[in-house]
Amino acid sequence: MSNKQKRYFLSESEIPAQWYNIQADMVNKPEPMLDPVTREPITVERLSKLISVEAARQELNTTDRWIDIPEPVLEMYRYYRSTPLVRAYGLEEALGTPARIYFKNESVSPVGSHKLNSALPQAYYCKQEGCTNITTETGAGQWGCALSYASKVFGLECAVYQVKISYEQKPYRRSVMQAFGAQVTPSPSMSTRAGKDILTKYPNHQGSLGTAISEAVELAVTTPGCKYALGSVMGHVSLHQTIIGLEAEKQLQMAGDYPDVVIGCFGGGSNFSGIAFPFMRHNICDGKKTRFVAAEPESCPKLTRGKFCYDYGDETGYTPLMPMFSLGHQFKPANIHAGGLRYHGAGVIVSQLIKDGLMEAVDISQLRSFEAGLMFAKAEGIVPAPESCHAIAAAIDEALRCKESGEEKVILFCLSGHGLMDMSAYDQYISGSLGNYTISDEEIEKNVSAL
Amino acid sequence: MSNKQKRYFLSESEIPAQWYNIQADMVNKPEPMLDPVTREPITVERLSKLISVEAARQELNTTDRWIDIPEPVLEMYRYYRSTPLVRAYGLEEALGTPARIYFKNESVSPVGSHKLNSALPQAYYCKQEGCTNITTETGAGQWGCALSYASKVFGLECAVYQVKISYEQKPYRRSVMQAFGAQVTPSPSMSTRAGKDILTKYPNHQGSLGTAISEAVELAVTTPGCKYALGSVMGHVSLHQTIIGLEAEKQLQMAGDYPDVVIGCFGGGSNFSGIAFPFMRHNICDGKKTRFVAAEPESCPKLTRGKFCYDYGDETGYTPLMPMFSLGHQFKPANIHAGGLRYHGAGVIVSQLIKDGLMEAVDISQLRSFEAGLMFAKAEGIVPAPESCHAIAAAIDEALRCKESGEEKVILFCLSGHGLMDMSAYDQYISGSLGNYTISDEEIEKNVSAL
C-alpha cells in the first residue's frame, strides 16, 4: 500500500482557465425558456433584469464550447482549488470491491461545499456591471454561505432568504452567513409581497426553496442596483461548476485512469453537472461510453418519476418557464435532511440530456443515504453532507455490483460537501429516529397535472 | 496579483517521514517528571502502564533528534497531508501591512483540526502493542473526534470522557465521535471513582478537562488491554505535531521565505510546538533569530502569569508530577469558548524553553480573539476555531507593528482548526453578549501556593 498515491492535486498553473459549456456540443439543444408573462422565448435582455448580463449571456450561449474564467475569479479559485481527487482505498477495502473508487473532495472549499465555484463568478459579474447588492435564497445554507463570502470578496451587500425551518433548526450556517456580513431573513417573511401572501394564507408556513426564491426574485426586481443569483438549476451555474470535472479529468490522468461511471447527487443539478459534463463531452464527441448517474432522493424523484413539461422555478411563478423534468412548482418535498435536494425541478440542460439518453438517474431513500454516509465516514474519515450521501450510496451500489461481477470499473463521484453542520441528522439516524419518505404516483400526478 | 502563488503543497513523496524531537537539541533538558506516589523520576516502564510503550519511550527520549514515522501512520497522513501553506494576501490587504503573512491550514484535516496528527500514531502504537481499547478526555471535542477516527482506522474500541458542559452545549462534535463509533460519556460521570467523588461533593459539577483526564486515566489503569492517550501537553504529542512545522519549512522554501515570527495558540502546547519546534532547531543549531510566540487566553494565563513548579496534569492527581508553568491543577478556567485552551499547565518541554528564553508568550482577551477571527474570516473565507483566533490576533498584532515600522517581516501562524462547529460562539460575539474574563493576581496566587 505504501506506494499507492491517495490524493491528486493540480498546481496553480494547471487549474483550468476556462469552463466547459456543454450546450455547444449538444446535438439537441435545450428547448427555450419562456417569459412568464409573454410566453415568448426568453432573451438576454429580459433575463438580465433578474441576473447579471454576463450570466444571462452564458445561460443562452449554445455555441461557445469554452468560456474564459475571469482573472479575478481564477485568483479566488486558487485559494481552494484544485480540490483533491482522492482514491478511496478505505471504502474499497470496506466493500471488498475490485472497483477503483475516486471522489472529488469539494468539501475542502472554505465554505464547505462546491457552491463557491459559482458564487464567485456570479458576484464578480454583478459587481463588474455596477450592482451594489445581490440577493438569493438558501435552504440548509450551503449556497447562502458561499454567496455571502463571494459578496464580501467582491464588495457587494448580500441579502439571503433562508427557508424558515432551516433558519430555526440549523442555525450554524445562518451564523456563518452573518459572520461574512450577510443579512439573513427567514422565509416566508413580511418583507415581500410573495412572503406576505403566503403568510396571510398560511401563518405557520415553514418555508420552502420555491417560496424563498420568490422572495429573493421579488427583492431583486424591485430594488435598484440589486441582482438575483441562483445556486443551481440554471445552465450558467452548471457551467461554472464544470471546473470540478475539468480538474478531475486532469487528476485522473495523473492516476492513469478514466471513469466508467460518474456519479453526483442531484438537487438542481449543479454538482452533478459540474463533475459529469466535462466527461460527457467525450461521450458526445469522442465515442467514450462512460455512464453518468444522478442520485436523487426517493422523496423528491423528479428525474426518475417527474414529468417533462414547462414549469416555473419558484412557487409564486416569477421565474421564466423552463422546459424540464418537474414534480410541479407547488410540490412540497418531505422534510428530509438533504435540504439541498429538496427541489421540484431539474434544469433545462440536464432535462434534455435525460431525454436524449446521455445520462441516467437513481433514487436513494433517506435511511440508505445515511447508512452509506456513515460507512464512508468510518472508512475515509470525512463526515459527508446529507446531500453527498446520496452520491455515496449510488457509488457503493456500483462498487458492489463490481464485486459480484468481478469487474474492475473506475467509479468517480463528487463529494459535494461535508456534513459537520448536519450532525443532528446523523444523531437521529444513529438513534433510529429517522424515517423514509415515499411518495405515491397519485400525489405526483396531482401536482404535475395542475401545470 | 495573477502570478502570485497562494497555496503551497508537498507531493506525497515530499511529506516528511520523520518527526523532529527537540529534546535532543535542547541544551537544558527538561527536568524529570516524577512518579506521583514514589516521587522518583518516572521511567518508561512506569509511564507505559498508562500510555503505549512507544509513546512512553518517545516521551523520555532526549537523544534521538529524528524519530521515524511508522509506515501505516504515514499512509494515513497521506490522506490529508500535506496541509496547505497559505499566503494570506486577503488579510495582508485588509491590514495594509508590508508583512508577508502565511498560515498553515490544519483545518483541512478530515476531523477539522491538527489533532489527528498525534491521534493516529498513538492509536497505532496501542494496537501494535496488543491493546484492544483506548480512552481519553476531550473538551469541545477536537481531540476526541481525532482519536475516535484514529481508533476506527486501527481497529480499537474508543471511550471518550467529554467535559459535561461541552457534551451538552456543543453536541455536534459528540455526534461526530459517535459517528466514528466511539463511546462518549459526559464527565464527571458515575463510571469512575474520581467521577463519583466529585459528583458526591458537587452534584452539579459541569466538568473540566482536569476531571475528565482523571476519569480516563482511571479507566485505563483499571481495564486490561486499555491504554490512555493524551491530545496535548506531553512531549510525545508535540513530537507528532512537528509534522506541521517540518512541512511548513519545505513549503516556505517553495515560497522563497523564512519566518521572522512563528505563532501558535496555546492550550497544552501541541499545535504551537508542532509549528514552532522545527524552526526553533535552527535558532538552537544554526544561529537563526526567529521569534516564537505562544498566544494564550487572558483568562488562563499559565505562560505569562503562572508559576514554574511540579504539578499534576489532572484534577485528582493521578498523573505524573510535571515540572511546568502552571496555574495549579485545581484552577478552574473561565468558561471561554476556546475550550481547547482551558488547561492549567504548559507541558515540560515548552516550560523549559520559556525558562531558557527560547520562546515568548502573549495573552489575548476573548473579545479580541473573536474580533481577529471575524476579520480573518472575512478576508480569507475560513471561519477559524475559537482557539485559532488567539494565534490570528497575535499575528495581526505583529503585522500592525510592521505597518508602523515599515518592516517586511515574514509572519507564520498555525490555523489549528476551523470553527464551523463553534458558530454559537460567533453568534454571541456578533450580538454583543460575549464578555472578557480576567483573573486577579490573588486568585492565581491562591491556586499555585496550594501546590
Side-chain angles (χ1 to χ4, degrees):
Chain A
M1 183 115 156
S2 61
N3 293 320
K4 291 179 184 170
Q5 192 167 347
K6 294 177 187 303
R7 301 197 305 165
Y8 299 85
F9 284 99
L10 304 178
S11 68
E12 293 189 4
S13 63
E14 291 171 310
I15 296 172
Q18 297 179 310
W19 295 301
Y20 169 62
N21 177 19
I22 196 169
Q23 294 191 84
D25 286 328
M26 289 169 72
V27 179
N28 300 317
K29 308 294 182 196
E31 292 176 41
M33 291 186 282
L34 304 180
D35 187 302
V37 178
T38 65
R39 305 259 162 162
E40 294 290 313
I42 204 98
T43 59
V44 169
E45 194 193 349
R46 174 69 178 78
L47 196 54
S48 63
K49 293 195 194 315
L50 196 56
I51 62 178
S52 69
V53 177
E54 186 54 35
R57 280 200 197 112
Q58 292 171 354
E59 189 66 31
L60 301 180
N61 183 335
T62 56
T63 51
D64 299 315
R65 178 180 289 154
W66 298 103
I67 307 283
D68 286 343
I69 302 172
E71 188 55 37
V73 172
L74 208 44
E75 279 292 299
M76 292 308 303
Y77 276 180
R78 292 192 191 116
Y79 263 120
Y80 66 101
R81 310 204 66 87
S82 66
T83 61
L85 177 80
V86 187
R87 173 78 184 268
Y89 288 111
L91 185 60
E92 291 173 18
E93 199 183 325
L95 293 168
T97 179
R100 297 195 289 285
I101 307 175
Y102 295 86
F103 62 93
K104 182 72 168 157
N105 186 1
E106 293 291 308
S107 80
V108 303
S109 116
V111 298
S113 81
H114 69 293
K115 292 289 188 187
L116 195 54
N117 301 333
S118 185
L120 288 166
Q122 291 198 62
Y124 171 75
Y125 293 136
C126 285
K127 183 69 181 182
Q128 283 298 101
E129 296 169 15
C131 297
T132 54
N133 292 62
I134 195 165
T135 183
T136 194
E137 76 296 327
T138 199
Q142 298 270 30
W143 168 246
C145 287
L147 195 69
S148 299
Y149 174 56
S151 302
K152 177 57 62 183
V153 167
F154 291 115
L156 293 165
E157 297 301 322
C158 180
V160 180
Y161 289 93
Q162 183 173 22
V163 175
K164 192 189 276 175
I165 193 166
S166 296
Y167 182 93
E168 287 167 358
Q169 288 185 349
K170 299 189 175 181
Y172 276 21
R173 285 214 183 85
R174 160 173 64 77
S175 307
V176 172
M177 292 184 258
Q178 290 168 334
F180 289 137
Q183 184 201 313
V184 188
T185 305
S187 166
S189 75
M190 295 299 281
S191 68
T192 63
R193 182 79 265 154
K196 276 179 199 157
D197 286 350
I198 289 164
L199 286 174
T200 303
K201 215 164 151 187
Y202 310 104
N204 293 312
H205 196 291
Q206 292 300 294
S208 71
L209 275 174
T211 304
I213 294 174
S214 294
E215 292 208 87
V217 166
E218 185 179 322
L219 181 72
V221 299
T222 57
T223 309
C226 181
K227 286 282 170 76
Y228 171 67
L230 195 66
S232 193
V233 183
M234 303 289 278
H236 65 280
V237 182
S238 294
L239 173 75
H240 304 153
Q241 295 294 353
T242 58
I243 188 81
I244 301 173
L246 293 167
E247 284 184 1
E249 187 182 355
K250 289 189 180 190
Q251 290 165 310
L252 272 175
Q253 274 166 10
M254 294 164 71
D257 266 327
Y258 190 87
D260 297 299
V261 191
V262 176
I263 299 167
C265 65
F266 198 95
S270 78
N271 95 90
F272 171 82
S273 305
I275 194 149
F277 288 178
F279 294 99
M280 205 180 281
R281 88 178 190 276
H282 297 301
N283 277 28
I284 299 173
C285 306
D286 310 321
K288 291 276 190 188
K289 301 285 185 201
T290 299
R291 286 173 49 227
F292 300 93
V293 181
E296 66 180 4
E298 182 185 33
S299 55
C300 194
K302 61 236 177 198
L303 294 176
T304 50
R305 296 170 64 199
K307 176 178 165 186
F308 185 85
C309 56
Y310 268 94
D311 196 6
Y312 297 104
D314 68 322
E315 182 162 330
T316 305
Y318 286 159
T319 71
L321 281 160
M322 292 183 280
M324 62 182 181
F325 281 92
S326 176
L327 295 164
H329 64 279
Q330 298 201 324
F331 175 75
K332 295 195 178 31
N335 192 22
I336 57 170
H337 283 281
L341 309 186
R342 295 174 68 242
Y343 187 70
H344 66 278
V348 300
I349 295 175
V350 163
S351 293
Q352 186 63 45
L353 294 171
I354 287 261
K355 279 178 73 181
D356 290 345
L358 281 157
M359 54 173 282
E360 57 196 278
V362 294
D363 67 334
I364 307 284
S365 76
Q366 174 157 265
L367 292 179
R368 173 73 187 116
S369 74
F370 279 103
E371 180 190 24
L374 217 47
M375 182 181 195
F376 179 81
K378 286 174 180 159
E380 297 291 331
I382 303 169
V383 180
E387 292 83 1
S388 311
C389 289
H390 291 72
I392 294 168
I396 288 175
D397 288 345
E398 292 288 341
L400 290 176
R401 276 193 285 276
C402 289
K403 186 178 180 177
E404 271 183 36
S405 67
E407 287 174 290
E408 295 182 12
K409 282 189 184 170
V410 176
I411 300 168
L412 169 66
F413 71 89
C414 183
L415 184 76
S416 55
H418 64 63
L420 295 180
M421 291 178 157
D422 303 280
M423 291 313 301
S424 60
Y426 281 92
D427 273 358
Q428 290 176 28
Y429 174 74
I430 291 171
S431 69
S433 62
L434 217 56
N436 282 331
Y437 296 93
T438 51
I439 167 176
S440 67
D441 289 337
E442 291 69 32
E443 194 181 341
I444 293 176
E445 188 52 40
K446 189 188 76 186
N447 274 289
V448 294
S449 66
L451 296 176
Chain B
M1 183 112 156
S2 62
N3 293 321
K4 290 179 184 172
Q5 192 167 350
K6 295 177 186 303
R7 300 196 306 164
Y8 299 85
F9 284 99
L10 304 177
S11 67
E12 293 189 3
S13 62
E14 290 171 313
I15 296 172
Q18 297 179 309
W19 296 301
Y20 169 62
N21 178 18
I22 197 171
Q23 294 191 82
D25 286 329
M26 289 170 73
V27 178
N28 300 316
K29 308 295 182 196
E31 292 178 42
M33 289 186 282
L34 303 180
D35 185 302
V37 179
T38 65
R39 305 258 162 164
E40 295 289 313
I42 206 99
T43 60
V44 169
E45 195 194 347
R46 175 69 178 77
L47 196 54
S48 62
K49 292 195 195 315
L50 197 56
I51 62 177
S52 69
V53 177
E54 187 54 34
R57 280 199 197 112
Q58 292 171 352
E59 189 67 30
L60 301 180
N61 183 337
T62 57
T63 51
D64 299 315
R65 177 179 289 154
W66 299 102
I67 309 283
D68 287 343
I69 302 173
E71 187 55 37
V73 172
L74 208 44
E75 279 293 300
M76 293 308 303
Y77 276 0
R78 292 193 192 116
Y79 264 120
Y80 65 101
R81 310 204 66 86
S82 66
T83 61
L85 177 79
V86 186
R87 174 78 182 269
Y89 288 111
L91 185 60
E92 291 173 18
E93 198 182 325
L95 293 167
T97 179
R100 297 196 290 285
I101 307 176
Y102 295 87
F103 62 93
K104 181 72 168 159
N105 186 0
E106 292 291 308
S107 80
V108 302
S109 116
V111 297
S113 81
H114 69 293
K115 292 290 186 186
L116 195 53
N117 302 333
S118 185
L120 288 166
Q122 290 196 62
Y124 170 74
Y125 293 137
C126 285
K127 182 69 179 182
Q128 283 299 101
E129 296 170 16
C131 296
T132 54
N133 292 62
I134 196 165
T135 183
T136 195
E137 77 294 328
T138 199
Q142 299 269 30
W143 168 245
C145 287
L147 195 68
S148 299
Y149 174 56
S151 301
K152 176 58 61 186
V153 167
F154 292 116
L156 293 165
E157 297 302 323
C158 180
V160 181
Y161 289 93
Q162 183 173 22
V163 174
K164 191 189 277 174
I165 192 165
S166 296
Y167 181 94
E168 287 166 358
Q169 287 186 351
K170 298 189 176 180
Y172 275 21
R173 284 211 183 86
R174 160 173 63 75
S175 308
V176 172
M177 292 184 259
Q178 289 168 335
F180 290 138
Q183 184 202 313
V184 189
T185 306
S187 167
S189 76
M190 295 299 280
S191 68
T192 63
R193 182 79 266 157
K196 277 179 199 157
D197 286 351
I198 289 164
L199 286 173
T200 304
K201 217 164 151 187
Y202 310 104
N204 293 311
H205 196 292
Q206 292 300 294
S208 71
L209 275 175
T211 304
I213 295 174
S214 294
E215 293 207 87
V217 167
E218 186 179 321
L219 180 71
V221 298
T222 58
T223 309
C226 181
K227 286 282 170 75
Y228 171 69
L230 196 67
S232 191
V233 184
M234 305 289 278
H236 65 279
V237 182
S238 295
L239 173 75
H240 304 153
Q241 295 294 354
T242 58
I243 189 80
I244 301 173
L246 292 167
E247 284 183 0
E249 187 182 356
K250 289 189 180 189
Q251 290 165 310
L252 272 175
Q253 274 168 10
M254 295 164 71
D257 266 327
Y258 190 88
D260 296 301
V261 191
V262 176
I263 299 167
C265 65
F266 197 96
S270 77
N271 94 89
F272 172 81
S273 305
I275 195 150
F277 289 179
F279 294 99
M280 207 180 280
R281 86 178 191 276
H282 297 302
N283 277 27
I284 299 174
C285 306
D286 310 322
K288 292 276 191 189
K289 302 287 185 199
T290 300
R291 285 172 51 226
F292 300 93
V293 181
E296 65 180 5
E298 184 185 31
S299 55
C300 194
K302 62 238 177 197
L303 295 175
T304 50
R305 295 169 66 198
K307 178 179 163 186
F308 185 85
C309 56
Y310 269 95
D311 196 5
Y312 297 104
D314 68 322
E315 182 161 331
T316 305
Y318 287 158
T319 71
L321 281 159
M322 292 182 281
M324 62 181 182
F325 282 92
S326 176
L327 295 164
H329 64 278
Q330 299 201 323
F331 175 76
K332 294 191 180 35
N335 192 23
I336 58 170
H337 284 283
L341 309 186
R342 295 174 70 241
Y343 188 71
H344 66 278
V348 300
I349 294 175
V350 164
S351 293
Q352 187 63 45
L353 295 170
I354 287 261
K355 279 177 73 181
D356 291 345
L358 282 157
M359 54 172 282
E360 57 198 276
V362 295
D363 66 334
I364 307 285
S365 75
Q366 174 157 268
L367 292 179
R368 174 74 188 114
S369 74
F370 279 103
E371 181 191 22
L374 217 48
M375 182 181 196
F376 179 82
K378 286 174 180 158
E380 298 290 331
I382 303 169
V383 179
E387 292 83 1
S388 311
C389 288
H390 291 73
I392 294 168
I396 288 174
D397 289 344
E398 292 287 339
L400 290 176
R401 277 194 285 277
C402 289
K403 185 177 182 177
E404 270 183 36
S405 67
E407 288 173 290
E408 296 182 12
K409 281 189 184 170
V410 176
I411 299 168
L412 168 66
F413 71 88
C414 184
L415 184 76
S416 55
H418 64 63
L420 295 180
M421 291 180 157
D422 303 279
M423 292 313 300
S424 60
Y426 281 92
D427 273 356
Q428 290 176 27
Y429 174 75
I430 291 170
S431 69
S433 62
L434 217 56
N436 281 330
Y437 296 94
T438 51
I439 167 176
S440 68
D441 290 336
E442 291 70 32
E443 193 182 341
I444 293 176
E445 187 54 38
K446 189 188 75 185
N447 275 288
V448 295
S449 66
L451 297 175

